Amino acid sequence: MALLQEWHKIAYNEKADKQALNRFWQRYFLLEKGVYEKLLSNPDEKVEGTVKELAEKYQLSIMEMTGFLDGINDSLIQKNPITALEEDTKVNLIYDKEKLYKNMVDAKADWLYELPMWDDIFDADKKKELYLEQKKSGTVIVGKKIGRNEPCPCGSGKKYKFCCGK
């Protein structure tokens, strides 16, 4: 069975005790934070290796590294073959800095996007700009409502209620 499927069985087990699952995620988030601290301390390092090698490098279990790879995959410059991961699969952690920051904001992971290492990567204005950009990307802007007796926007010359408003 691929590692990702095993990770999902453990991490998203709906039958598991809620408190145990909560403790699992709290522990995982601390481990994840530690890996990001190391990655962001040297943001231009090209981290590559097998799943097993990276797990050893960051002192994680294979399952924890699988979860980390699953989480960071959308922020990578070249995505990893996440669904087919095995211990000996070659992977990379070469991330797009802006995309990673925005994805952390999108995930509401303040413990990650507020890491002090970001201060060495982006200045305060850039972080604020990326934060607002990400927040606005999920905002739906509804156009002005057309009144029943206004001209139809399709250009027919009829009132909206007798044309497209039927």
Side-chain angles (χ1 to χ4, degrees):
M1 180 186 297
L3 292 175
L4 187 65
Q5 290 174 311
E6 288 182 49
W7 167 254
H8 281 198
K9 270 188 185 177
I10 297 166
Y12 304 107
N13 184 356
E14 293 177 8
K15 296 174 185 151
D17 174 54
K18 298 287 183 227
Q19 287 180 328
L21 200 56
N22 217 5
R23 284 191 302 276
F24 167 84
W25 280 108
Q26 286 177 338
R27 183 179 176 284
Y28 172 77
F29 289 147
L30 281 174
L31 294 170
E32 178 187 47
K33 182 180 177 184
V35 176
Y36 277 118
E37 286 172 341
K38 291 174 187 170
L39 279 176
L40 295 171
S41 293
N42 192 355
D44 297 319
E45 179 186 7
K46 304 231 182 293
V47 179
E48 296 175 299
T50 64
V51 174
K52 186 176 183 176
E53 290 168 349
L54 293 183
E56 289 169 1
K57 177 177 180 167
Y58 293 105
Q59 299 168 345
L60 300 175
S61 71
I62 298 292
M63 279 297 107
E64 292 161 347
M65 179 49 71
T66 301
F68 184 82
L69 289 167
D70 185 26
I72 197 172
N73 209 41
D74 287 337
S75 304
L76 299 178
I77 293 170
Q78 183 179 342
K79 292 186 179 189
N80 291 315
I82 197 76
T83 56
L85 284 182
E86 296 297 338
E87 285 187 27
D88 59 348
T89 305
K90 281 272 198 196
V91 292
N92 78 85
L93 297 178
I94 304 167
Y95 55 92
D96 177 312
K97 297 174 190 94
E98 289 187 8
K99 195 185 273 187
L100 180 62
Y101 189 84
K102 286 180 177 182
N103 286 340
M104 288 175 171
V105 170
D106 188 43
K108 298 176 179 66
D110 55 345
W111 65 94
L112 296 178
Y113 67 79
E114 291 178 355
L115 284 170
M117 293 81 186
W118 283 113
D119 296 339
D120 296 331
I121 299 170
F122 300 126
D123 62 22
D125 290 338
K126 182 67 174 175
K127 287 193 301 185
K128 185 176 181 180
E129 174 192 326
L130 292 171
Y131 181 89
L132 292 174
E133 215 174 278
Q134 180 57 42
K135 288 295 185 184
K136 286 180 183 175
S137 72
T139 304
V140 177
I141 299 172
V142 180
K144 181 181 171 274
K145 186 176 179 190
I146 303 162
R148 294 172 30 88
N149 291 313
E150 292 180 28
C152 190
C154 75
S156 67
K158 297 179 185 178
K159 286 185 178 184
Y160 180 69
K161 67 182 176 185
F162 292 121
C163 190
C164 296
K166 283 186 178 183

